[in-house]
């Protein structure tokens, strides 16, 4: 399988990127702002490339949303640098000169039929599809980590999930442009958290990747515990599992999904037409549940456990 990953690393992005390199051929990492600023996310991607020991190209992309400045970031979850403020040395891997948006267009032309995995805000992908509306025809599968399909969000806009809420206009463009995509939302992520004790065992049994992840995960883990969230929440890892092995999905719903752009309390919310009242094509396959044991096995392999 050939993957192109658009991401904003990010602690949970880091685990997903480790999974991708353990299970597939990663053609590139296209990077945007989101969890933290672009300077940090690009550096974090380079750090991860050093860790996996594969010369995966890193392409810096958009430093801000399409229209409005973001109302919040995720520093309180991921640390000021996005990787738990561990203080890793300057990575040896170097970002490419090519812009992420141009890289998305080029790589999908060179490798038609690849799987595109979007783990962060959709700014890069939205600009790419505006520059070339034929882009969706060259992508075999698009897997998006984002949204909260019944309004259980995780941002200051109560029903909105972070990735969609960071750049709602970009999400709107992508949702309208692609006639088919898999949506792994925040709510299914919460339903598939890992047991803390089991996850600790994986970290103890793993290799250098597990040691790295244990270090970067401390800040996010403490934040989740403070918020009363139980277990190890691995949002981007779940989306990556769906991308790597679609058969891991045990239940899904096909519905039309739109993005709220204007609501004072709901901007960035994903609005699902559950009863087909609008009569619009169902472009989203909403993942409702996955095989938890197979998901766990993929994460363990990524950690070397």
């Amino acid at each position: 399988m050939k993957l192109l990953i658009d991401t904003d690393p990010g602690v949970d992005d880091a685990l997903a990127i480790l999974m991708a390199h353990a299970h597939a051929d990663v053609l590139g990492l296209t990077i945007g702002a989101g969890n933290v600023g672009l300077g940090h996310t690009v550096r974090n991607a380079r750090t991860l490339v050093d860790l996996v020991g594969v010369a995966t190209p890193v392409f810096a992309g958009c430093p801000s949303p399409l229209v409005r400045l973001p109302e919040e970031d995720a520093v309180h979850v991921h640390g000021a640098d996005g990787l738990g403020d561990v203080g890793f040395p300057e990575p040896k891997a170097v970002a490419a000169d090519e812009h992420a948006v141009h890289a998305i267009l080029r790589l999908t032309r060179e490798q038609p039929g690849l799987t595109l995995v979007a783990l962060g805000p959709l700014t890069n992908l939205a600009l790419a599809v505006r520059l070339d509306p034929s882009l969706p025809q060259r992508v075999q599968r698009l897997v998006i980590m984002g949204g909260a399909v019944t309004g259980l969000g995780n941002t200051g806009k109560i029903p909105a999930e972070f990735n969609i809420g960071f750049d709602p206009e970009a999400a709107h463009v992508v949702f309208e442009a692609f006639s088919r995509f898999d949506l792994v939302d925040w709510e299914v992520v919460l339903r598939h958290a890992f047991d803390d004790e089991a996850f600790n065992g994986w970290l103890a049994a793993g290799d250098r990747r597990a040691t790295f992840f244990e270090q970067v995960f401390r800040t996010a883990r403490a934040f989740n515990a403070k918020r009363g969230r139980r277990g190890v929440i691995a949002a981007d890892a779940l989306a990556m599992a769906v991308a790597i092995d679609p058969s891991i999905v045990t239940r899904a719903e096909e519905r039309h999904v739109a993005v709220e752009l204007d609501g004072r309390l709901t901007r960035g919310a994903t609005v699902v037409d559950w009863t087909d009242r609008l009569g619009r094509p169902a472009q989203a396959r909403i993942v409702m549940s996955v095989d938890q044991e197979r998901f766990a096995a993929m994460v363990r392999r990524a950690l070397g456990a």
Side-chain angles (χ1 to χ4, degrees):
M1 173 176 288
K2 296 184 183 297
L3 301 179
L4 176 58
I5 305 170
D6 190 67
T7 178
D8 61 333
V11 173
D12 55 335
D13 306 73
L15 181 56
I17 290 166
L18 295 179
M19 288 176 63
H21 283 88
H23 292 88
D25 180 9
V26 182
L27 299 175
L29 303 175
T30 56
I31 310 301
N35 287 319
V36 290
L38 184 66
H40 286 305
T41 56
V42 171
R43 177 180 169 135
N44 294 346
R46 294 164 53 218
T47 295
L48 288 162
V49 167
D50 282 356
L51 177 65
V52 297
V54 179
T56 303
V58 174
F59 304 95
C62 298
S64 63
L66 293 181
V67 179
R68 302 188 194 177
L69 291 176
E71 296 185 14
E72 56 185 293
D73 57 25
V75 166
H76 54 294
V77 180
H78 299 269
D81 69 355
L83 286 181
D85 296 323
V86 175
F88 295 109
E90 178 68 21
K92 295 178 182 178
V94 178
D97 292 334
E98 186 178 19
H99 193 280
V101 173
H102 295 150
I104 290 170
L105 296 177
R106 176 180 59 80
L107 288 168
T108 54
R109 293 187 187 108
E110 293 175 356
Q111 300 281 349
L114 59 74
T115 295
L116 180 55
V117 190
L119 302 178
L122 295 170
T123 314
N124 289 334
L125 187 51
L127 280 179
V129 80
R130 281 292 195 244
L131 284 173
D132 183 356
S134 69
L135 169 63
Q137 300 168 25
R138 301 194 299 274
V139 175
Q140 182 177 14
R141 292 180 64 222
L142 169 62
V143 180
I144 297 172
M145 192 281 123
V149 298
T150 67
L152 183 62
N154 60 353
T155 71
K157 302 294 186 186
I158 295 170
E161 176 274 333
F162 179 82
N163 284 344
I164 305 301
F166 188 88
D167 193 346
E169 282 78 15
H172 168 75
V173 168
V174 173
F175 284 21
E176 291 288 306
F178 281 79
S179 61
R180 178 81 171 176
F181 56 87
D182 287 353
L183 187 67
V184 179
D185 84 313
W186 176 245
E187 296 170 28
V188 73
V189 166
L190 293 177
R191 292 195 295 273
H192 289 82
F194 295 117
D195 176 77
D196 282 290
E197 186 175 347
F199 197 85
N200 290 340
W202 305 344
L203 292 175
D207 58 20
R208 70 187 188 284
R209 294 167 293 179
T211 301
F212 171 90
F213 191 73
E214 192 277 331
Q215 290 178 294
V216 303
F217 190 44
R218 290 170 187 164
T219 300
R221 204 168 194 179
F223 173 81
N224 287 332
K226 186 177 180 180
R227 294 295 297 270
R229 295 172 180 162
R230 301 179 62 183
V232 174
I233 299 168
D236 292 333
L238 182 56
M240 187 59 69
V242 171
I244 293 167
D245 183 2
S247 70
I248 199 174
V249 177
T250 55
R251 188 166 72 90
E253 298 282 351
E254 297 189 9
R255 297 288 188 274
H256 181 79
V257 181
V259 181
E260 173 59 46
L261 301 179
D262 301 313
R264 181 174 63 87
L265 298 177
T266 58
R267 175 172 159 78
T270 39
V271 182
V272 181
D273 186 2
W274 290 109
T275 56
D276 196 26
R277 295 175 65 181
L278 300 178
R280 299 197 61 187
Q283 90 281 40
R285 184 178 80 135
I286 303 168
V287 175
M288 304 300 291
S289 63
V290 305
D291 185 320
Q292 186 74 356
E293 289 303 315
R294 290 169 63 190
F295 176 31
M298 296 170 78
V299 171
R300 289 197 303 270
R301 179 175 173 181
L303 296 172

